[in-house]
Amino acid sequence: MKAVILAGGYGKRLRPLTDDKPKPLIEIAGKPILEWQILWLKSFGITSFIILAGYKKEVLVEWVTKNKARLGIECLFSMEEEPLGTGGAIHQVKSFLNEDFIAVNGDILTNLDIRELKQVDETAIASISLVPLRSPYGVVQTEGDKIIKFVEKPVLKDYWINAGVYFLKSSIFEYLPEKGDIERITFPTLAEKGLLKGKKFENVYWRSIDSVKDVEEASNEIPQVFNFE
């Protein structure tokens, strides 16, 4: 099975870290986000990758070319000359994907088990990983007007968010736009038709790297979560 990594974004909220490199090459605990993702996917037997590059694509190609032998992977690149959106970027590599595949946003770190994500029924064209929403704020618990407890950034288990890891059947290309986002165009269409499934992952590590604070916090967390060598 191949994995597609969506690595074309600008990473504007991470400047100046992205002034000279794309977001997937930002280092977390001594390794780029992209390397952590490759090591995670390799732990499930995936060694063939298609990287969808856009912003600072030359830097990304140079890093992968230099490191792919060390990482033990095969890799193809798809280059955006203009932003195509996540759906358009995947649509562009249709000729390289005639089988089911995994797609991953290039700015997330997780250890979720993709084998569980693949266990969808035959009617589903796509399966989305879901993780509980973590509050960005501390929460105050009360009884009437009495404050009884402070909880720092709790997990809100009644609310689920898209974790940016997808299992997609090859028939997904019938629903992908040539330009636009899979999240805004394809997934709502599939949901309306009953062709989209969600797999909930409760006890996993997941973080989206969207700010310098995320980089700092993830750098402290990752060594405790991953033991890839």
Side-chain angles (χ1 to χ4, degrees):
M1 179 174 286
K2 291 185 176 69
V4 172
I5 297 180
L6 292 148
Y10 287 97
K12 292 179 180 178
R13 287 177 292 178
L14 280 156
R15 289 177 176 167
L17 298 180
T18 52
D19 282 349
D20 60 353
K21 66 173 74 70
K23 188 192 291 191
L25 292 186
I26 290 176
E27 288 201 356
I28 306 292
K31 290 183 175 69
I33 295 170
L34 179 60
E35 183 166 345
W36 286 116
Q37 291 186 330
I38 289 170
L39 294 173
W40 159 58
L41 291 165
K42 275 192 67 181
S43 73
F44 296 104
I46 293 178
T47 59
S48 183
F49 295 84
I50 299 176
I51 296 180
L52 311 183
Y55 174 70
K56 298 291 182 183
K57 51 186 177 289
E58 298 85 1
V59 180
L60 190 63
V61 171
E62 181 181 2
W63 186 90
V64 174
T65 302
K66 179 180 177 181
N67 290 280
K68 65 181 181 179
R70 173 178 64 85
L71 294 170
I73 61 170
E74 297 177 354
C75 190
L76 295 174
F77 296 94
S78 175
M79 308 295 195
E80 290 183 356
E81 298 305 323
E82 62 174 330
L84 298 175
T86 53
I90 298 173
H91 183 276
Q92 191 168 248
V93 294
K94 178 180 180 179
S95 60
F96 298 102
L97 290 165
N98 55 7
E99 73 272 30
D100 302 343
F101 60 98
I102 296 290
V104 181
N105 287 342
D107 59 358
I108 61 105
L109 294 167
T110 186
N111 62 354
L112 66 80
D113 190 334
I114 61 171
R115 293 170 297 187
E116 296 182 30
L117 187 62
K118 289 161 57 180
Q119 295 171 0
V120 295
D121 63 56
E122 294 182 359
T123 64
I125 287 177
S127 181
I128 297 177
S129 59
L130 306 173
V131 292
L133 172 64
R134 181 177 292 277
S135 171
Y137 308 106
V139 171
V140 180
Q141 293 184 355
T142 63
E143 288 181 357
D145 60 359
K146 181 180 180 181
I147 293 176
I148 59 172
K149 190 176 183 180
F150 293 88
V151 183
E152 182 61 26
K153 297 182 180 179
V155 172
L156 307 178
K157 292 191 175 182
D158 290 335
Y159 299 92
W160 297 85
I161 61 172
N162 179 354
V165 183
Y166 315 128
F167 173 68
L168 305 176
K169 291 186 177 178
S170 56
S171 51
I172 192 72
F173 289 101
E174 299 173 25
Y175 298 90
L176 289 175
E178 292 188 10
K179 191 171 185 179
D181 291 329
I182 191 172
E183 298 87 354
R184 292 190 176 97
I185 298 174
T186 306
F187 290 158
T189 300
L190 293 179
E192 289 177 4
K193 295 177 179 292
L195 301 174
L196 183 66
K197 300 296 181 179
K199 172 61 182 176
K200 294 179 178 179
F201 293 90
E202 290 195 62
N203 300 309
V204 300
Y205 178 80
W206 183 88
R207 180 182 279 272
S208 177
I209 306 301
D210 298 314
S211 67
V212 174
K213 185 177 181 181
D214 289 325
V215 173
E216 294 170 352
E217 292 182 353
S219 293
N220 292 325
E221 296 164 352
I222 284 295
Q224 303 172 49
V225 176
F226 296 118
N227 57 2
F228 301 127
E229 295 295 339

